[in-house]
Amino acid sequence: MLIKQRCRKVVLEDLTGFDNTGNVCLWPSEEVLASYVLKRKDQFCGKAVCELGAGMTGLAGIALAVMGNPLKVLLTDGNEDCVKNMEAVVRQNKSSFGSTIVQSEQVLWEINSDLSHLESQFDFIIGADCLFFNQSHYGLLHVIAVLLKEAGFAVIMAPQRKDTRETFCSKASSQFSVEKIENYDPVVWSQHQAAKNEDPLYDEDIHYPMGKIQTFSHFLIARNPALHDSTKSSKKQVA
């Protein structure tokens, strides 16, 4: 598997703006997400998967496409440079995808985004460390709601980052069933506990010091059948 971090040199504009965080580096949460999906790759076999906010590499989605057997993987980000870089990564790894269809596309997290060409296409949505800007929460929830199939799941890895994760979960609970799982991997959990006890620089709220592994609260989002059914019923009544 080949991962290309950048197609060109870094400039100042790459490091500013809400949709430019994927230009900075490969974030630890993306590595944890890649590990998570690979350990559960059988769940994704034959399924359609979309990675949101995939950054420069789309590591989790690429790893799943190479070592799992999903039906298709769509790598997305709001930043055009990230999408171009992911296109290069897809080309580099094309011979390793087997029958899996892998594509990249720019997807903006905006409530008024036209996503009709992607509506209800995905069994799974995956994402990493994409909750730290509160102003993007409703746009992200809109994208998830449009792209997921009726029985689909979203798997998101994210540190707390003050109250941003809890704020997102609160917003998401009005549309989806939300399950938060903190201890989801024994290796990650044990290293997290060791770092908390032994490393005074370790701050579980944000990032980990070089050489350590950050723990990320993982949570699942699924459509809430009761809410979904009531929404459909109200639409029928209006019609």
Side-chain angles (χ1 to χ4, degrees):
M1 186 175 76
L2 302 173
I3 294 295
K4 183 179 181 66
Q5 180 62 22
R6 296 195 59 83
C7 289
R8 58 173 176 76
K9 293 182 179 180
V10 178
V11 296
L12 179 61
E13 287 75 14
D14 292 333
L15 307 179
T16 58
F18 76 93
D19 63 344
N20 289 341
T21 53
N23 285 318
V24 179
C25 66
L26 178 61
W27 294 98
S29 52
E30 178 78 4
E31 297 172 316
V32 175
L33 178 61
S35 174
Y36 180 89
V37 298
L38 289 180
K39 287 182 178 180
R40 296 159 178 81
K41 60 185 179 181
D42 289 347
Q43 298 179 15
F44 298 90
C45 182
K47 303 296 184 180
V49 181
C50 176
E51 181 171 1
L52 296 178
M56 298 295 290
T57 66
L59 176 63
I62 289 290
L64 188 60
V66 171
M67 289 175 262
N69 189 31
L71 175 65
K72 66 178 179 180
V73 174
L74 178 64
L75 308 171
T76 72
D77 200 273
N79 185 279
E80 291 182 0
D81 287 335
C82 288
V83 175
K84 290 177 182 178
N85 203 82
M86 285 191 291
E87 290 173 353
V89 173
V90 170
R91 288 194 298 270
Q92 287 178 317
N93 291 279
K94 187 174 182 179
S95 61
S96 302
F97 293 148
S99 60
T100 301
I101 300 170
V102 183
Q103 298 171 318
S104 60
E105 180 177 333
Q106 184 182 32
V107 171
L108 301 177
W109 300 350
E110 298 175 353
I111 294 178
N112 59 353
S113 293
D114 181 9
L115 302 169
S116 56
H117 63 297
L118 299 174
E119 186 171 359
S120 302
Q121 288 194 18
F122 297 96
D123 302 286
F124 287 96
I125 287 175
I126 60 176
D129 210 348
C130 55
L131 309 179
F132 42 86
F133 289 114
N134 288 333
Q135 62 265 35
S136 68
H137 286 177
Y138 285 117
L140 175 56
L141 286 168
H142 168 70
V143 173
I144 293 173
V146 173
L147 270 58
L148 270 185
K149 293 181 179 180
E150 187 168 338
F153 288 88
V155 180
I156 299 175
M157 295 285 182
Q160 174 58 25
R161 292 192 184 277
K162 297 184 178 180
D163 62 349
T164 57
R165 187 182 65 219
E166 294 306 316
T167 299
F168 177 82
C169 288
S170 177
K171 294 173 182 175
S173 63
S174 65
Q175 296 177 258
F176 303 95
S177 296
V178 179
E179 179 184 5
K180 291 180 285 184
I181 305 171
E182 191 169 7
N183 183 1
Y184 55 87
D185 184 285
V187 174
V188 174
W189 184 254
S190 64
Q191 295 196 28
H192 163 59
Q193 295 297 325
K196 285 204 301 183
N197 294 328
E198 301 168 8
D199 191 340
L201 297 178
Y202 183 81
D203 184 354
E204 63 181 310
D205 183 67
I206 45 174
H207 288 293
Y208 68 99
M210 185 70 74
K212 296 291 194 300
I213 292 182
Q214 163 99 23
T215 185
F216 296 92
S217 286
H218 146 247
F219 54 94
L220 297 172
I221 292 179
R223 290 192 183 277
N224 187 318
L227 291 173
H228 189 61
D229 289 344
S230 66
T231 301
K232 290 195 296 185
S233 299
S234 63
K235 285 183 178 179
K236 289 181 179 178
Q237 291 173 359
V238 171

